[in-house]
Amino acid sequence: YRVEIELPFSSGSCTIEDYVNISISSTQSSDPISDFELCDDISGDGIEVFDLTFKDAEALASVPPGDYSITYHLNQIDAENGTNAISGPIENLSNPQVVHVRIEDITNGCLAYSTLNLIVNELPNISPPTILEACDDATADGFTAIDLSIKNDEITNGQDNLIVTYHSSAEDAELGNNAIPLPYVNTEPSEQLFVSVRNPQTGCTSTTTLDISVLDNPIINTQDYYIDACDADYDGIANF
């Protein structure tokens, strides 16, 4: 294109000319798409099922407003050619795994490409704790206040980056709901609680159980007893 700018002056005018080259591209830029992270299951194999449509809204937000078609592909060539789109949920083939995203404007045919990482996070590595035994308090009724947190290190194997909470049901432990305030006062002399261990960085949770038992205090006779001895030499001292 030839561009001409005319500047008027009182005595005439001045004309400036230049040429502009315009290249039309069918692609547009897009903002990055965040990683798609899931927690592993108890198998610990690093493989999970990902529903990629969960990322559709984020992919749409990465480009200017418009009417778009979004497809996901295993490689860049397929994304560029619009072939072999992933249909339905998929298992990751590696951990992490890169998925290529094709974002096509249905109105004008403009394309944007992006990528996202499929990541399977490990569950916290924990150990089932041994039974927690506590002595009854001064009121011999089988109930007492117990500091459950003394089992934290045993459960987490000393990992101080994990958050440990105790619950009354397995469901609450899985969801991290209704954590028991500490110290805990037992409701039965022997009972089982459920433990939730969460990694705050990944949000992944492992669970186990904790058995507690309140032991009876020894019963002693508090009556005073006296031992007599004869003072043969009247000095007030004798062997007992």
Side-chain angles (χ1 to χ4, degrees):
Y1 288 91
R2 177 175 173 269
V3 181
E4 183 178 290
I5 303 174
E6 184 176 348
L7 302 175
F9 297 98
S10 58
S11 59
S13 65
C14 177
T15 301
I16 302 174
E17 296 180 357
D18 202 352
Y19 290 88
V20 177
N21 294 319
I22 299 176
S23 298
I24 299 176
S25 174
S26 62
T27 62
Q28 61 179 323
S29 62
S30 65
D31 295 329
I33 299 175
S34 64
D35 296 337
F36 193 170
E37 300 186 52
L38 294 178
C39 295
D40 204 355
D41 54 31
I42 58 174
S43 69
D45 59 4
I47 298 174
E48 287 298 318
V49 177
F50 292 81
D51 182 359
L52 298 178
T53 60
F54 181 79
K55 284 293 187 176
D56 284 358
E58 190 176 348
L60 288 173
S62 72
V63 291
D67 190 8
Y68 293 94
S69 170
I70 300 172
T71 53
Y72 301 90
H73 306 262
L74 294 178
N75 58 67
Q76 182 67 29
I77 294 176
D78 283 348
E80 292 175 354
N81 294 332
T83 56
N84 300 317
I86 298 170
S87 60
I90 63 163
E91 285 187 346
N92 57 304
L93 302 175
S94 60
N95 188 27
Q97 177 180 343
V98 177
V99 169
H100 298 264
V101 187
R102 175 188 173 99
I103 308 170
E104 181 175 0
D105 191 319
I106 298 174
T107 303
N108 57 33
C110 285
L111 296 167
Y113 302 101
S114 188
T115 59
L116 64 90
N117 294 312
L118 306 182
I119 298 176
V120 179
N121 291 311
E122 294 181 350
L123 297 179
N125 182 21
I126 63 174
S127 297
T130 57
I131 187 171
L132 173 55
E133 295 180 326
C135 294
D136 202 354
D137 52 29
T139 304
D141 54 5
F143 308 111
T144 190
I146 305 171
D147 181 9
L148 303 176
S149 67
I150 63 175
K151 285 291 186 178
N152 287 4
D153 282 349
E154 182 182 350
I155 294 170
T156 64
N157 301 305
Q159 302 171 79
D160 57 8
N161 63 313
L162 302 178
I163 298 175
V164 183
T165 51
Y166 299 85
H167 306 262
S168 298
S169 71
E171 181 180 6
D172 280 349
E174 287 284 352
L175 299 175
N177 293 336
N178 303 313
I180 295 172
L182 303 183
Y184 168 68
V185 177
N186 58 305
T187 58
E188 298 291 339
S190 295
E191 60 183 83
Q192 185 177 77
L193 299 178
F194 300 87
V195 188
S196 174
V197 182
R198 182 172 65 89
N199 184 330
Q201 294 180 323
T202 63
C204 296
T205 299
S206 294
T207 61
T208 186
T209 58
L210 171 65
D211 293 320
I212 62 174
S213 178
V214 175
L215 306 177
D216 293 334
N217 287 324
I219 299 176
I220 61 174
N221 191 335
T222 58
Q223 179 180 349
D224 292 335
Y225 287 89
Y226 300 92
I227 301 176
D228 295 326
C230 294
D231 187 2
D233 52 6
Y234 305 101
D235 59 358
I237 299 174
N239 293 324
F240 293 86

